[in-house]
PDB file of all heavy atoms in Angstrom:
ATOM      1  N   THR A  45      18.907  12.408  -2.720  1.00  0.00           N
ATOM      2  CA  THR A  45      19.633  11.951  -3.877  1.00  0.00           C
ATOM      3  C   THR A  45      19.806  10.445  -3.862  1.00  0.00           C
ATOM      4  O   THR A  45      20.256   9.841  -4.835  1.00  0.00           O
ATOM      5  CB  THR A  45      21.026  12.603  -3.948  1.00  0.00           C
ATOM      6  OG1 THR A  45      21.714  12.305  -2.730  1.00  0.00           O
ATOM      7  CG2 THR A  45      20.879  14.073  -4.098  1.00  0.00           C
ATOM      8  N   VAL A  46      19.468   9.790  -2.708  1.00  0.00           N
ATOM      9  CA  VAL A  46      19.543   8.355  -2.642  1.00  0.00           C
ATOM     10  C   VAL A  46      18.183   7.860  -2.248  1.00  0.00           C
ATOM     11  O   VAL A  46      17.587   8.314  -1.312  1.00  0.00           O
ATOM     12  CB  VAL A  46      20.619   7.910  -1.618  1.00  0.00           C
ATOM     13  CG1 VAL A  46      20.595   6.443  -1.464  1.00  0.00           C
ATOM     14  CG2 VAL A  46      21.968   8.428  -2.009  1.00  0.00           C
ATOM     15  N   GLU A  47      17.624   6.849  -2.943  1.00  0.00           N
ATOM     16  CA  GLU A  47      16.290   6.314  -2.667  1.00  0.00           C
ATOM     17  C   GLU A  47      16.365   4.822  -2.501  1.00  0.00           C
ATOM     18  O   GLU A  47      16.848   4.129  -3.362  1.00  0.00           O
ATOM     19  CB  GLU A  47      15.332   6.703  -3.801  1.00  0.00           C
ATOM     20  CG  GLU A  47      13.938   6.156  -3.516  1.00  0.00           C
ATOM     21  CD  GLU A  47      12.948   6.702  -4.522  1.00  0.00           C
ATOM     22  OE1 GLU A  47      13.200   7.776  -5.112  1.00  0.00           O
ATOM     23  OE2 GLU A  47      11.927   6.058  -4.694  1.00  0.00           O
ATOM     24  N   ASP A  48      15.784   4.342  -1.381  1.00  0.00           N
ATOM     25  CA  ASP A  48      15.746   2.921  -1.114  1.00  0.00           C
ATOM     26  C   ASP A  48      14.529   2.333  -1.816  1.00  0.00           C
ATOM     27  O   ASP A  48      13.559   3.044  -2.072  1.00  0.00           O
ATOM     28  CB  ASP A  48      15.703   2.692   0.372  1.00  0.00           C
ATOM     29  CG  ASP A  48      15.950   1.259   0.714  1.00  0.00           C
ATOM     30  OD1 ASP A  48      16.170   0.448  -0.197  1.00  0.00           O
ATOM     31  OD2 ASP A  48      15.915   0.939   1.936  1.00  0.00           O
ATOM     32  N   ASP A  49      14.520   1.055  -2.108  1.00  0.00           N
ATOM     33  CA  ASP A  49      13.363   0.373  -2.727  1.00  0.00           C
ATOM     34  C   ASP A  49      12.216   0.263  -1.701  1.00  0.00           C
ATOM     35  O   ASP A  49      11.078   0.102  -2.111  1.00  0.00           O
ATOM     36  CB  ASP A  49      13.775  -1.014  -3.215  1.00  0.00           C
ATOM     37  CG  ASP A  49      14.602  -0.929  -4.490  1.00  0.00           C
ATOM     38  OD1 ASP A  49      14.503   0.131  -5.095  1.00  0.00           O
ATOM     39  OD2 ASP A  49      15.252  -1.882  -4.853  1.00  0.00           O
ATOM     40  N   GLY A  50      12.428   0.301  -0.404  1.00  0.00           N
ATOM     41  CA  GLY A  50      11.420   0.291   0.581  1.00  0.00           C
ATOM     42  C   GLY A  50      10.786  -1.090   0.741  1.00  0.00           C
ATOM     43  O   GLY A  50      11.162  -2.078   0.113  1.00  0.00           O
ATOM     44  N   PRO A  51       9.727  -1.179   1.638  1.00  0.00           N
ATOM     45  CA  PRO A  51       9.106  -2.500   1.900  1.00  0.00           C
ATOM     46  C   PRO A  51       8.301  -3.034   0.729  1.00  0.00           C
ATOM     47  O   PRO A  51       8.068  -4.207   0.665  1.00  0.00           O
ATOM     48  CB  PRO A  51       8.166  -2.150   3.115  1.00  0.00           C
ATOM     49  CG  PRO A  51       8.716  -0.907   3.711  1.00  0.00           C
ATOM     50  CD  PRO A  51       9.279  -0.146   2.538  1.00  0.00           C
ATOM     51  N   CYS A  52       7.823  -2.125  -0.174  1.00  0.00           N
ATOM     52  CA  CYS A  52       6.998  -2.680  -1.270  1.00  0.00           C
ATOM     53  C   CYS A  52       7.347  -1.930  -2.570  1.00  0.00           C
ATOM     54  O   CYS A  52       7.797  -0.763  -2.583  1.00  0.00           O
ATOM     55  CB  CYS A  52       5.497  -2.486  -0.948  1.00  0.00           C
ATOM     56  SG  CYS A  52       4.973  -0.785  -0.874  1.00  0.00           S
ATOM     57  N   THR A  53       7.129  -2.637  -3.659  1.00  0.00           N
ATOM     58  CA  THR A  53       7.288  -2.048  -4.967  1.00  0.00           C
ATOM     59  C   THR A  53       6.063  -2.262  -5.865  1.00  0.00           C
ATOM     60  O   THR A  53       5.947  -1.708  -6.931  1.00  0.00           O
ATOM     61  CB  THR A  53       8.516  -2.662  -5.664  1.00  0.00           C
ATOM     62  OG1 THR A  53       8.360  -4.052  -5.751  1.00  0.00           O
ATOM     63  CG2 THR A  53       9.774  -2.283  -4.935  1.00  0.00           C
ATOM     64  N   ALA A  54       5.062  -3.106  -5.388  1.00  0.00           N
ATOM     65  CA  ALA A  54       3.867  -3.369  -6.128  1.00  0.00           C
ATOM     66  C   ALA A  54       2.691  -3.510  -5.237  1.00  0.00           C
ATOM     67  O   ALA A  54       2.826  -3.875  -4.051  1.00  0.00           O
ATOM     68  CB  ALA A  54       4.052  -4.659  -6.971  1.00  0.00           C
ATOM     69  N   ASP A  55       1.465  -3.279  -5.724  1.00  0.00           N
ATOM     70  CA  ASP A  55       0.262  -3.294  -4.902  1.00  0.00           C
ATOM     71  C   ASP A  55      -0.018  -4.669  -4.321  1.00  0.00           C
ATOM     72  O   ASP A  55      -0.501  -4.819  -3.166  1.00  0.00           O
ATOM     73  CB  ASP A  55      -0.952  -2.867  -5.746  1.00  0.00           C
ATOM     74  CG  ASP A  55      -0.871  -1.376  -6.120  1.00  0.00           C
ATOM     75  OD1 ASP A  55      -0.075  -0.655  -5.481  1.00  0.00           O
ATOM     76  OD2 ASP A  55      -1.637  -0.973  -7.015  1.00  0.00           O
ATOM     77  N   ASP A  56       0.271  -5.751  -5.055  1.00  0.00           N
ATOM     78  CA  ASP A  56      -0.033  -7.083  -4.587  1.00  0.00           C
ATOM     79  C   ASP A  56       0.787  -7.477  -3.399  1.00  0.00           C
ATOM     80  O   ASP A  56       0.516  -8.521  -2.746  1.00  0.00           O
ATOM     81  CB  ASP A  56       0.095  -8.097  -5.726  1.00  0.00           C
ATOM     82  CG  ASP A  56       1.514  -8.131  -6.303  1.00  0.00           C
ATOM     83  OD1 ASP A  56       2.389  -7.459  -5.807  1.00  0.00           O
ATOM     84  OD2 ASP A  56       1.697  -8.859  -7.329  1.00  0.00           O
ATOM     85  N   GLN A  57       1.845  -6.717  -3.022  1.00  0.00           N
ATOM     86  CA  GLN A  57       2.619  -7.025  -1.859  1.00  0.00           C
ATOM     87  C   GLN A  57       1.976  -6.468  -0.576  1.00  0.00           C
ATOM     88  O   GLN A  57       2.476  -6.686   0.498  1.00  0.00           O
ATOM     89  CB  GLN A  57       4.009  -6.402  -1.995  1.00  0.00           C
ATOM     90  CG  GLN A  57       4.808  -6.959  -3.159  1.00  0.00           C
ATOM     91  CD  GLN A  57       6.147  -6.256  -3.355  1.00  0.00           C
ATOM     92  OE1 GLN A  57       6.262  -5.075  -3.017  1.00  0.00           O
ATOM     93  NE2 GLN A  57       7.096  -6.946  -3.919  1.00  0.00           N
ATOM     94  N   CYS A  58       0.883  -5.722  -0.736  1.00  0.00           N
ATOM     95  CA  CYS A  58       0.232  -5.045   0.398  1.00  0.00           C
ATOM     96  C   CYS A  58      -1.149  -5.611   0.744  1.00  0.00           C
ATOM     97  O   CYS A  58      -1.852  -5.035   1.559  1.00  0.00           O
ATOM     98  CB  CYS A  58       0.092  -3.545   0.097  1.00  0.00           C
ATOM     99  SG  CYS A  58       1.699  -2.716  -0.178  1.00  0.00           S
ATOM    100  N   ILE A  59      -1.576  -6.713   0.147  1.00  0.00           N
ATOM    101  CA  ILE A  59      -2.898  -7.279   0.432  1.00  0.00           C
ATOM    102  C   ILE A  59      -2.964  -7.815   1.817  1.00  0.00           C
ATOM    103  O   ILE A  59      -2.107  -8.608   2.242  1.00  0.00           O
ATOM    104  CB  ILE A  59      -3.184  -8.402  -0.608  1.00  0.00           C
ATOM    105  CG1 ILE A  59      -3.219  -7.807  -2.048  1.00  0.00           C
ATOM    106  CG2 ILE A  59      -4.520  -9.060  -0.271  1.00  0.00           C
ATOM    107  CD1 ILE A  59      -3.416  -8.848  -3.100  1.00  0.00           C
ATOM    108  N   ASP A  60      -3.992  -7.365   2.635  1.00  0.00           N
ATOM    109  CA  ASP A  60      -4.126  -7.820   4.014  1.00  0.00           C
ATOM    110  C   ASP A  60      -5.312  -8.699   4.222  1.00  0.00           C
ATOM    111  O   ASP A  60      -5.697  -8.997   5.374  1.00  0.00           O
ATOM    112  CB  ASP A  60      -4.182  -6.575   4.940  1.00  0.00           C
ATOM    113  CG  ASP A  60      -5.435  -5.696   4.641  1.00  0.00           C
ATOM    114  OD1 ASP A  60      -6.190  -6.043   3.664  1.00  0.00           O
ATOM    115  OD2 ASP A  60      -5.639  -4.725   5.354  1.00  0.00           O
ATOM    116  N   ASP A  61      -5.977  -9.112   3.124  1.00  0.00           N
ATOM    117  CA  ASP A  61      -7.119 -10.060   3.191  1.00  0.00           C
ATOM    118  C   ASP A  61      -8.259  -9.488   3.992  1.00  0.00           C
ATOM    119  O   ASP A  61      -9.026 -10.179   4.706  1.00  0.00           O
ATOM    120  CB  ASP A  61      -6.703 -11.399   3.780  1.00  0.00           C
ATOM    121  CG  ASP A  61      -5.718 -12.164   2.906  1.00  0.00           C
ATOM    122  OD1 ASP A  61      -5.817 -12.043   1.660  1.00  0.00           O
ATOM    123  OD2 ASP A  61      -4.824 -12.817   3.454  1.00  0.00           O
ATOM    124  N   ASN A  62      -8.432  -8.151   4.001  1.00  0.00           N
ATOM    125  CA  ASN A  62      -9.519  -7.452   4.709  1.00  0.00           C
ATOM    126  C   ASN A  62     -10.390  -6.818   3.661  1.00  0.00           C
ATOM    127  O   ASN A  62      -9.951  -5.934   2.915  1.00  0.00           O
ATOM    128  CB  ASN A  62      -8.978  -6.425   5.688  1.00  0.00           C
ATOM    129  CG  ASN A  62     -10.043  -5.762   6.501  1.00  0.00           C
ATOM    130  OD1 ASN A  62     -11.255  -5.995   6.281  1.00  0.00           O
ATOM    131  ND2 ASN A  62      -9.665  -4.926   7.434  1.00  0.00           N
ATOM    132  N   LEU A  63     -11.682  -7.247   3.586  1.00  0.00           N
ATOM    133  CA  LEU A  63     -12.584  -6.699   2.596  1.00  0.00           C
ATOM    134  C   LEU A  63     -12.885  -5.208   2.814  1.00  0.00           C
ATOM    135  O   LEU A  63     -13.367  -4.535   1.923  1.00  0.00           O
ATOM    136  CB  LEU A  63     -13.918  -7.447   2.631  1.00  0.00           C
ATOM    137  CG  LEU A  63     -13.866  -8.925   2.223  1.00  0.00           C
ATOM    138  CD1 LEU A  63     -15.241  -9.574   2.403  1.00  0.00           C
ATOM    139  CD2 LEU A  63     -13.389  -9.082   0.770  1.00  0.00           C
ATOM    140  N   CYS A  64     -12.539  -4.737   4.021  1.00  0.00           N
ATOM    141  CA  CYS A  64     -12.878  -3.343   4.356  1.00  0.00           C
ATOM    142  C   CYS A  64     -11.698  -2.373   4.168  1.00  0.00           C
ATOM    143  O   CYS A  64     -11.741  -1.277   4.720  1.00  0.00           O
ATOM    144  CB  CYS A  64     -13.376  -3.278   5.801  1.00  0.00           C
ATOM    145  SG  CYS A  64     -14.997  -4.041   5.991  1.00  0.00           S
ATOM    146  N   THR A  65     -10.684  -2.802   3.462  1.00  0.00           N
ATOM    147  CA  THR A  65      -9.544  -1.865   3.196  1.00  0.00           C
ATOM    148  C   THR A  65      -9.181  -1.930   1.726  1.00  0.00           C
ATOM    149  O   THR A  65      -9.299  -2.931   1.059  1.00  0.00           O
ATOM    150  CB  THR A  65      -8.296  -2.232   4.021  1.00  0.00           C
ATOM    151  OG1 THR A  65      -7.927  -3.570   3.710  1.00  0.00           O
ATOM    152  CG2 THR A  65      -8.605  -2.101   5.508  1.00  0.00           C
ATOM    153  N   ASP A  66      -8.738  -0.757   1.228  1.00  0.00           N
ATOM    154  CA  ASP A  66      -8.186  -0.667  -0.108  1.00  0.00           C
ATOM    155  C   ASP A  66      -6.665  -0.730   0.000  1.00  0.00           C
ATOM    156  O   ASP A  66      -6.031   0.118   0.611  1.00  0.00           O
ATOM    157  CB  ASP A  66      -8.614   0.689  -0.755  1.00  0.00           C
ATOM    158  CG  ASP A  66      -8.097   0.842  -2.178  1.00  0.00           C
ATOM    159  OD1 ASP A  66      -7.749  -0.210  -2.765  1.00  0.00           O
ATOM    160  OD2 ASP A  66      -8.084   1.947  -2.684  1.00  0.00           O
ATOM    161  N   ASP A  67      -6.064  -1.775  -0.510  1.00  0.00           N
ATOM    162  CA  ASP A  67      -4.643  -2.069  -0.311  1.00  0.00           C
ATOM    163  C   ASP A  67      -3.811  -1.697  -1.531  1.00  0.00           C
ATOM    164  O   ASP A  67      -4.079  -2.125  -2.655  1.00  0.00           O
ATOM    165  CB  ASP A  67      -4.458  -3.559  -0.022  1.00  0.00           C
ATOM    166  CG  ASP A  67      -5.400  -4.074   1.056  1.00  0.00           C
ATOM    167  OD1 ASP A  67      -5.643  -3.301   2.022  1.00  0.00           O
ATOM    168  OD2 ASP A  67      -5.875  -5.206   0.943  1.00  0.00           O
ATOM    169  N   TYR A  68      -2.786  -0.882  -1.319  1.00  0.00           N
ATOM    170  CA  TYR A  68      -1.895  -0.509  -2.434  1.00  0.00           C
ATOM    171  C   TYR A  68      -0.541  -0.045  -1.862  1.00  0.00           C
ATOM    172  O   TYR A  68      -0.389   0.281  -0.699  1.00  0.00           O
ATOM    173  CB  TYR A  68      -2.529   0.599  -3.301  1.00  0.00           C
ATOM    174  CG  TYR A  68      -2.772   1.898  -2.566  1.00  0.00           C
ATOM    175  CD1 TYR A  68      -1.801   2.918  -2.564  1.00  0.00           C
ATOM    176  CD2 TYR A  68      -3.965   2.155  -1.933  1.00  0.00           C
ATOM    177  CE1 TYR A  68      -2.076   4.123  -1.894  1.00  0.00           C
ATOM    178  CE2 TYR A  68      -4.219   3.336  -1.260  1.00  0.00           C
ATOM    179  CZ  TYR A  68      -3.259   4.332  -1.281  1.00  0.00           C
ATOM    180  OH  TYR A  68      -3.494   5.539  -0.627  1.00  0.00           O
ATOM    181  N   CYS A  69       0.437  -0.030  -2.768  1.00  0.00           N
ATOM    182  CA  CYS A  69       1.793   0.427  -2.436  1.00  0.00           C
ATOM    183  C   CYS A  69       1.911   1.901  -2.824  1.00  0.00           C
ATOM    184  O   CYS A  69       1.675   2.280  -3.974  1.00  0.00           O
ATOM    185  CB  CYS A  69       2.814  -0.421  -3.173  1.00  0.00           C
ATOM    186  SG  CYS A  69       4.527   0.007  -2.803  1.00  0.00           S
ATOM    187  N   HIS A  70       2.282   2.740  -1.851  1.00  0.00           N
ATOM    188  CA  HIS A  70       2.413   4.158  -2.115  1.00  0.00           C
ATOM    189  C   HIS A  70       3.526   4.381  -3.140  1.00  0.00           C
ATOM    190  O   HIS A  70       4.646   3.958  -2.971  1.00  0.00           O
ATOM    191  CB  HIS A  70       2.720   4.919  -0.802  1.00  0.00           C
ATOM    192  CG  HIS A  70       2.509   6.390  -0.914  1.00  0.00           C
ATOM    193  ND1 HIS A  70       3.363   7.213  -1.586  1.00  0.00           N
ATOM    194  CD2 HIS A  70       1.513   7.167  -0.457  1.00  0.00           C
ATOM    195  CE1 HIS A  70       2.913   8.455  -1.529  1.00  0.00           C
ATOM    196  NE2 HIS A  70       1.781   8.444  -0.846  1.00  0.00           N
ATOM    197  N   PRO A  71       3.219   5.090  -4.229  1.00  0.00           N
ATOM    198  CA  PRO A  71       4.210   5.219  -5.326  1.00  0.00           C
ATOM    199  C   PRO A  71       5.404   6.085  -4.952  1.00  0.00           C
ATOM    200  O   PRO A  71       6.445   5.944  -5.616  1.00  0.00           O
ATOM    201  CB  PRO A  71       3.373   5.874  -6.457  1.00  0.00           C
ATOM    202  CG  PRO A  71       2.255   6.584  -5.715  1.00  0.00           C
ATOM    203  CD  PRO A  71       1.936   5.703  -4.544  1.00  0.00           C
ATOM    204  N   SER A  72       5.309   6.934  -4.001  1.00  0.00           N
ATOM    205  CA  SER A  72       6.397   7.816  -3.640  1.00  0.00           C
ATOM    206  C   SER A  72       7.305   7.288  -2.534  1.00  0.00           C
ATOM    207  O   SER A  72       8.503   7.333  -2.590  1.00  0.00           O
ATOM    208  CB  SER A  72       5.882   9.195  -3.258  1.00  0.00           C
ATOM    209  OG  SER A  72       5.220   9.836  -4.289  1.00  0.00           O
ATOM    210  N   PHE A  73       6.622   6.707  -1.485  1.00  0.00           N
ATOM    211  CA  PHE A  73       7.364   6.275  -0.307  1.00  0.00           C
ATOM    212  C   PHE A  73       7.599   4.773  -0.281  1.00  0.00           C
ATOM    213  O   PHE A  73       8.281   4.275   0.595  1.00  0.00           O
ATOM    214  CB  PHE A  73       6.603   6.686   0.982  1.00  0.00           C
ATOM    215  CG  PHE A  73       6.412   8.173   1.052  1.00  0.00           C
ATOM    216  CD1 PHE A  73       5.140   8.723   0.854  1.00  0.00           C
ATOM    217  CD2 PHE A  73       7.449   9.035   1.256  1.00  0.00           C
ATOM    218  CE1 PHE A  73       4.936  10.102   0.947  1.00  0.00           C
ATOM    219  CE2 PHE A  73       7.272  10.394   1.328  1.00  0.00           C
ATOM    220  CZ  PHE A  73       5.986  10.938   1.157  1.00  0.00           C
ATOM    221  N   HIS A  74       6.983   4.030  -1.199  1.00  0.00           N
ATOM    222  CA  HIS A  74       7.162   2.579  -1.299  1.00  0.00           C
ATOM    223  C   HIS A  74       6.752   1.915   0.051  1.00  0.00           C
ATOM    224  O   HIS A  74       7.414   0.997   0.500  1.00  0.00           O
ATOM    225  CB  HIS A  74       8.585   2.212  -1.649  1.00  0.00           C
ATOM    226  CG  HIS A  74       8.971   2.743  -3.018  1.00  0.00           C
ATOM    227  ND1 HIS A  74       8.459   2.162  -4.183  1.00  0.00           N
ATOM    228  CD2 HIS A  74       9.783   3.745  -3.411  1.00  0.00           C
ATOM    229  CE1 HIS A  74       8.965   2.800  -5.232  1.00  0.00           C
ATOM    230  NE2 HIS A  74       9.768   3.788  -4.777  1.00  0.00           N
ATOM    231  N   LEU A  75       5.702   2.438   0.665  1.00  0.00           N
ATOM    232  CA  LEU A  75       5.146   1.862   1.873  1.00  0.00           C
ATOM    233  C   LEU A  75       3.748   1.357   1.589  1.00  0.00           C
ATOM    234  O   LEU A  75       3.014   1.951   0.801  1.00  0.00           O
ATOM    235  CB  LEU A  75       5.120   2.891   3.006  1.00  0.00           C
ATOM    236  CG  LEU A  75       6.461   3.462   3.435  1.00  0.00           C
ATOM    237  CD1 LEU A  75       6.268   4.554   4.476  1.00  0.00           C
ATOM    238  CD2 LEU A  75       7.377   2.357   3.990  1.00  0.00           C
ATOM    239  N   CYS A  76       3.324   0.281   2.276  1.00  0.00           N
ATOM    240  CA  CYS A  76       1.983  -0.269   2.091  1.00  0.00           C
ATOM    241  C   CYS A  76       0.935   0.625   2.706  1.00  0.00           C
ATOM    242  O   CYS A  76       1.129   1.112   3.853  1.00  0.00           O
ATOM    243  CB  CYS A  76       1.892  -1.683   2.693  1.00  0.00           C
ATOM    244  SG  CYS A  76       2.717  -2.959   1.663  1.00  0.00           S
ATOM    245  N   VAL A  77      -0.155   0.844   2.021  1.00  0.00           N
ATOM    246  CA  VAL A  77      -1.271   1.610   2.546  1.00  0.00           C
ATOM    247  C   VAL A  77      -2.516   0.718   2.535  1.00  0.00           C
ATOM    248  O   VAL A  77      -2.810   0.082   1.544  1.00  0.00           O
ATOM    249  CB  VAL A  77      -1.540   2.878   1.675  1.00  0.00           C
ATOM    250  CG1 VAL A  77      -2.747   3.648   2.228  1.00  0.00           C
ATOM    251  CG2 VAL A  77      -0.308   3.759   1.670  1.00  0.00           C
ATOM    252  N   ASN A  78      -3.196   0.634   3.658  1.00  0.00           N
ATOM    253  CA  ASN A  78      -4.449  -0.105   3.789  1.00  0.00           C
ATOM    254  C   ASN A  78      -5.534   0.834   4.220  1.00  0.00           C
ATOM    255  O   ASN A  78      -5.784   1.032   5.422  1.00  0.00           O
ATOM    256  CB  ASN A  78      -4.276  -1.268   4.817  1.00  0.00           C
ATOM    257  CG  ASN A  78      -3.094  -2.181   4.453  1.00  0.00           C
ATOM    258  OD1 ASN A  78      -2.076  -2.114   5.126  1.00  0.00           O
ATOM    259  ND2 ASN A  78      -3.239  -2.966   3.405  1.00  0.00           N
ATOM    260  N   GLU A  79      -6.213   1.449   3.280  1.00  0.00           N
ATOM    261  CA  GLU A  79      -7.132   2.527   3.544  1.00  0.00           C
ATOM    262  C   GLU A  79      -8.542   1.988   3.793  1.00  0.00           C
ATOM    263  O   GLU A  79      -9.069   1.219   2.995  1.00  0.00           O
ATOM    264  CB  GLU A  79      -7.155   3.443   2.323  1.00  0.00           C
ATOM    265  CG  GLU A  79      -8.061   4.659   2.511  1.00  0.00           C
ATOM    266  CD  GLU A  79      -7.978   5.601   1.310  1.00  0.00           C
ATOM    267  OE1 GLU A  79      -7.102   5.381   0.472  1.00  0.00           O
ATOM    268  OE2 GLU A  79      -8.777   6.532   1.247  1.00  0.00           O
ATOM    269  N   PRO A  80      -9.166   2.346   4.924  1.00  0.00           N
ATOM    270  CA  PRO A  80     -10.513   1.848   5.272  1.00  0.00           C
ATOM    271  C   PRO A  80     -11.525   2.256   4.220  1.00  0.00           C
ATOM    272  O   PRO A  80     -11.485   3.384   3.685  1.00  0.00           O
ATOM    273  CB  PRO A  80     -10.822   2.486   6.625  1.00  0.00           C
ATOM    274  CG  PRO A  80      -9.487   2.847   7.184  1.00  0.00           C
ATOM    275  CD  PRO A  80      -8.633   3.209   6.004  1.00  0.00           C
ATOM    276  N   LEU A  81     -12.497   1.335   3.922  1.00  0.00           N
ATOM    277  CA  LEU A  81     -13.574   1.622   2.971  1.00  0.00           C
ATOM    278  C   LEU A  81     -14.890   1.733   3.747  1.00  0.00           C
ATOM    279  O   LEU A  81     -15.682   0.817   3.809  1.00  0.00           O
ATOM    280  CB  LEU A  81     -13.639   0.439   1.917  1.00  0.00           C
ATOM    281  CG  LEU A  81     -12.409   0.264   1.052  1.00  0.00           C
ATOM    282  CD1 LEU A  81     -12.576  -0.994   0.221  1.00  0.00           C
ATOM    283  CD2 LEU A  81     -12.223   1.488   0.173  1.00  0.00           C
ATOM    284  N   ASP A  82     -15.087   2.865   4.338  1.00  0.00           N
ATOM    285  CA  ASP A  82     -16.262   3.130   5.187  1.00  0.00           C
ATOM    286  C   ASP A  82     -17.517   3.006   4.384  1.00  0.00           C
ATOM    287  O   ASP A  82     -17.675   3.643   3.334  1.00  0.00           O
ATOM    288  CB  ASP A  82     -16.126   4.506   5.834  1.00  0.00           C
ATOM    289  CG  ASP A  82     -17.231   4.729   6.854  1.00  0.00           C
ATOM    290  OD1 ASP A  82     -17.833   3.759   7.343  1.00  0.00           O
ATOM    291  OD2 ASP A  82     -17.476   5.920   7.212  1.00  0.00           O
ATOM    292  N   GLY A  83     -18.480   2.154   4.828  1.00  0.00           N
ATOM    293  CA  GLY A  83     -19.751   2.032   4.149  1.00  0.00           C
ATOM    294  C   GLY A  83     -19.835   0.928   3.113  1.00  0.00           C
ATOM    295  O   GLY A  83     -20.878   0.626   2.591  1.00  0.00           O
ATOM    296  N   MET A  84     -18.699   0.261   2.854  1.00  0.00           N
ATOM    297  CA  MET A  84     -18.612  -0.814   1.844  1.00  0.00           C
ATOM    298  C   MET A  84     -19.346  -2.064   2.370  1.00  0.00           C
ATOM    299  O   MET A  84     -19.297  -2.350   3.538  1.00  0.00           O
ATOM    300  CB  MET A  84     -17.159  -1.129   1.501  1.00  0.00           C
ATOM    301  CG  MET A  84     -16.989  -2.244   0.503  1.00  0.00           C
ATOM    302  SD  MET A  84     -17.503  -1.788  -1.169  1.00  0.00           S
ATOM    303  CE  MET A  84     -16.187  -0.622  -1.629  1.00  0.00           C
TER     304      MET A  84
END
């Protein structure tokens, strides 16, 4: 019943400057996700 804003609220807050990851803010948990782009 209580939800914190968390570490991120927008995708641009999660950019890690790595061409091999897809960077975005998880819409439910408000945590940054840096997903590997295998084969890119």
Side-chain angles (χ1 to χ4, degrees):
T45 57
V46 176
E47 180 171 338
D48 192 1
D49 285 342
C52 67
T53 57
D55 292 344
D56 58 5
Q57 297 174 334
C58 299
I59 298 175
D60 62 357
D61 296 325
N62 184 355
L63 295 176
C64 290
T65 59
D66 182 18
D67 310 323
Y68 62 92
C69 182
H70 196 284
S72 297
F73 302 108
H74 298 288
L75 299 175
C76 285
V77 179
N78 305 108
E79 184 176 351
L81 297 174
D82 188 18
M84 178 71 71

